[in-house]
Amino acid sequence: MRRFPLVLACSLLLLAPLARAADALLAPQVRATADGLIAAALDDELAMELVTSLTTEVGPRLAGTAQEARARDWAVARLTDLGFANVRVEPFEVPLWVRGDERAEILEPFPQPLAVTALGGSTSTGPKGVAGEIVAFPSLAALQAAPDGSLAGRIVFVDEPMTRTQDGSGYGVAVAKRRATAYEAERLGAVGALIRSVGTDSHRFPHTGQMRRLTEGQGGGVPTAALSAPDADQLRRALARADSVTVRLVLTPQLLPPSRSGNVVAEIPGREAPEDIVLAGAHLDAWDLGTGAVDDGAGVGIVVAAARLLKALPEAPRRTVRVVLFGAEEVGLVGAKAYAEQHAEALDRHVIAAESDFGAGRIWRFDTAVGPEALATTAAIRAVLHPLGIGPGSNTARGGPDLKYLREAGVPVAGLIQNGWDYFDLHHTPDDTLDKIDPAALAQNVAAYAAFLYLAAEVETDFRN
Ligand code: ZN
Ligand code: ZN
């Protein structure tokens, strides 16, 4: 992996003066074209039309299912109709986990139902479920500190909250319990586990999401579900009022033989350097509870609509713009890994990559992870984005989940950072639906992506240096 330690330390100091030199770096007609793309995007309704079409005509699209296959068919048809070149599916296999029945209830001393949903990858309780006394932990760290075998026959409850932030940084902390609780509870001898949902809302929608995927030879963890935030509050109050609270948990998901998934790729071939690739990503799969509008139908609409605006230019940009709609992101970045493997030989020709996968809020910050000599160019790009309300960020971008393996292989990335204040109210719940998307905010995203993709594909800058 390439690292730029000096840049990491100095980027914030460097960006301000560089921005003043920005205009000098871009030829006047290039700058004018970027400004024109922004103006066109703010009046363009394609992104909203695409996310409306995807969420209505396909709906939920869990990785490896027939629904996800329909989403690939949808994407191929739409990208072909829009006139992109080299539209194709790049297939791979994915473990197939499907949801079954899911319910929970307090048996004693205050009998009543609780709203739960199974975590992706959870094992089954069998149709009769499991029942046990609840043992609560305030954090994953507290659960991890408990001795092996100390909770035989019990049900673990990890009641750790998530902090609401604009940039989503609360998620990285909170998601650790979703990934690890099933396996920690198994180590303790528990028969099941509950977590407070990884989310920031106070609605009665539990949030699903993938558990840590196991390597061969490990146990599968105990059956594990997320409680909605109000139900976690309810269970906490019950525990405060009783010496012992007993819960029954029924989860009947199934792990089926590996199934087919795939990444959908479309291109605008570059006019001078077609082998050089500027990648714009989003993920096509979505959890099964909602219709995947903000996660990540919005991203699909944004990057496709932005690329379509570039396609409408009188001549293609110098470099190839490649749209990649990744499959099987939610279940462990399976499509991202497949892409990096299938394109391993060409990764050194991926000049920069960006992914839209943080909902439909406005972009407010432009991050990068590029070499020091490229900072002048990224400052120039940022100056073009400035009228959209986008300010300077860091040079420590991560670039979106599906870019993980590309970043690790040294591909420069950009982060067009959206306002995620409300994102985790909806994330992975039945409430992730189309009505949550503001068309004007979506258009602002399209404008930023269109200008960014065009400039990254038009300049001669090597973003690695
Ligand atoms: Zn996502
Ligand atoms: Zn997601």
Side-chain angles (χ1 to χ4, degrees), residues 229-305:
D231 288 86
D233 294 342
Q234 183 80 331
L235 185 54
R236 176 188 285 196
R237 280 191 297 272
L239 287 161
R241 286 161 189 251
D243 292 336
S244 168
V245 174
T246 306
V247 163
R248 178 187 302 283
L249 176 64
V250 179
L251 303 174
T252 61
Q254 288 179 275
L255 191 58
L256 300 170
S259 179
R260 179 172 258 231
S261 183
N263 299 320
V264 180
V265 178
E267 293 172 346
I268 305 168
R271 73 170 190 278
E272 282 180 22
E275 68 284 6
D276 285 352
I277 293 156
V278 173
L279 188 152
H283 67 83
L284 201 50
D285 66 311
W287 281 106
D288 51 346
L289 300 177
T291 59
V294 303
D295 185 13
D296 187 22
V300 170
I302 289 163
V303 297
V304 173

Side-chain angles (χ1 to χ4, degrees), residues 283 295-296 329-330 357 423:
H283 67 83
D295 185 13
D296 187 22
E329 186 274 347
E330 295 289 7
D357 181 23
Y423 181 61

Side-chain angles (χ1 to χ4, degrees), residues 1 11 45 101 115 149 162 170 172-173 176 188 314 377 382 426 432 464:
M1 191 200 320
S11 61
E45 293 175 356
D101 289 340
M162 174 173 164
V173 180
L188 300 176
T377 299
R382 209 259 303 153
L426 310 169
D432 179 358
R464 283 171 165 77

Side-chain angles (χ1 to χ4, degrees), residues 151-185:
L151 295 184
R154 315 277 185 76
I155 293 177
V156 160
F157 169 38
V158 182
D159 191 18
E160 185 175 315
M162 174 173 164
T163 304
R164 181 187 293 277
T165 63
Q166 183 181 10
D167 66 0
S169 50
Y171 184 63
V173 180
V175 81
K177 72 172 187 281
R178 191 184 81 202
R179 294 172 55 76
T181 290
Y183 311 110
E184 287 297 318

